[in-house]
Amino acid sequence: MLLQLLTAVAAVAGAACSLLAEGSGAGAVSGILPFTAGGFIYLGTVSVLPEILRACGPGQALLQLLALLSGVAMMLLIAHCE
């Protein structure tokens, strides 16, 4: 329960930081965007990918890995176009 509270406090702190950095321009975005994208990639590869590889066959695992990589590619495309 304490860890859930810590997670919730971290989420609120992150939301507050993003609201405070809203008017600071491109400098804040260039620092926050890689950190956020790295967090999503970390969660996808560390917590989801091993479970996928255990639960299904190699063909299905390959399709899901390609879907994960396409999500990373979309984040890069969005970051490049903005």
Side-chain angles (χ1 to χ4, degrees):
M1 199 159 145
L2 184 61
L3 290 175
Q4 286 289 57
L5 177 65
L6 181 66
T7 304
V9 168
V12 170
C17 286
S18 67
L19 289 174
L20 291 173
E22 181 180 350
S24 63
V29 172
S30 66
I32 293 173
L33 187 62
F35 182 75
T36 305
F40 281 114
I41 294 169
Y42 173 78
L43 287 175
T45 55
V46 171
S47 62
V48 176
L49 195 58
E51 185 175 331
I52 289 172
L53 292 174
R54 273 188 306 219
C56 58
Q60 184 68 24
L62 179 64
L63 287 175
Q64 291 180 359
L65 180 62
L66 289 174
L68 177 74
L69 292 176
S70 68
V72 170
M74 284 184 221
M75 285 192 284
L76 286 172
L77 182 67
I78 290 170
H80 185 302
C81 290
E82 284 187 343

